[in-house]
Amino acid sequence: WRVAEHFAPFVRDSPPFSLPEKALTFLVGVTLAPLRFLGLLLVLASVYLVSAVSLTIFPDIASSQEEMWRPPSAPRRVTTFLIRLIIRAGLFLVFGVFSIDLRLVDGAQGIEPMVPIVANHLGYLDIMIVIACFGCTFVAADWVEHAPVVGTVARALNVIFLSKGPPPPPAPAPGEP
């Protein structure tokens, strides 16, 4: 069984829309699109607010990269839980995602803690689904850390920031010129 043979996300299996269906789709799209957009902005603002407050109250949430492999602290677990909760509510209210069906391939039994998940995303909805399902951390380019809104959320989720190019030179020891 190969995924490529059975995965066709952009293939329409039903017959083409009739004229009344097209009109109804247009009417619903025109009325619901602004409401969904406002809902999405509310979800994103809530995630940002939780992240900013968490980083202000608990500045050690955005710990160093060396401490990344230790079990998460209580403030980080609470922050991740709140962000996951807001994103799950947003997926339901804005996008209508009621449940997420996870299927493991090649006889895998489950996802153990501290296992890397390699997932390429096609859009921002994919990132929200991965956060909602697994509560994991991500790897991102170093410029994301300094992005205005996304950087705050990324630091609150303890994203691992990687830079392209050679590593910076080591800092001189105290007392060395």
Side-chain angles (χ1 to χ4, degrees):
W1 191 86
R2 294 183 50 164
V3 173
E5 294 171 357
H6 300 282
F7 183 69
F10 304 111
V11 175
R12 183 178 167 95
D13 292 336
S14 60
F17 281 150
S18 65
L19 186 60
E21 288 175 322
K22 287 180 182 178
L24 185 61
T25 302
F26 175 76
L27 182 63
V28 168
V30 168
T31 55
L32 289 182
L35 293 175
R36 284 186 164 183
F37 182 70
L38 288 175
L40 180 62
L41 287 179
L42 180 65
V43 167
L44 296 177
S46 300
V47 168
Y48 174 74
L49 183 64
V50 166
S51 301
V53 168
S54 295
L55 288 174
T56 303
I57 296 174
F58 307 109
D60 63 329
I61 284 182
S63 59
S64 68
Q65 300 292 330
E66 292 80 27
E67 297 175 10
M68 190 65 63
W69 304 109
R70 293 187 184 143
S73 63
R76 179 172 180 251
R77 286 193 309 266
V78 169
T79 300
T80 304
F81 172 77
L82 289 174
I83 290 174
R84 287 179 70 190
L85 186 68
I86 293 168
I87 287 177
R88 273 216 100 108
L91 286 171
F92 175 67
L93 296 174
V94 176
F95 297 107
V97 176
F98 182 70
S99 68
I100 301 169
D101 183 24
L102 297 175
R103 296 188 184 139
L104 302 175
V105 294
D106 296 334
Q109 298 299 317
I111 297 178
E112 299 294 326
M114 299 299 288
V115 171
I117 300 170
V118 179
N120 193 6
H121 61 89
L122 298 174
Y124 295 107
L125 182 61
D126 300 345
I127 296 171
M128 292 171 66
I129 288 175
V130 170
I131 290 173
C133 288
F134 302 112
C136 57
T137 190
F138 292 89
V139 175
D142 60 349
W143 63 266
V144 173
E145 184 176 12
H146 306 291
V149 174
V150 177
T152 303
V153 176
R155 285 190 307 277
L157 289 173
N158 275 5
V159 169
I160 300 169
F161 300 105
L162 299 178
S163 62
K164 293 181 180 179
E176 289 184 15

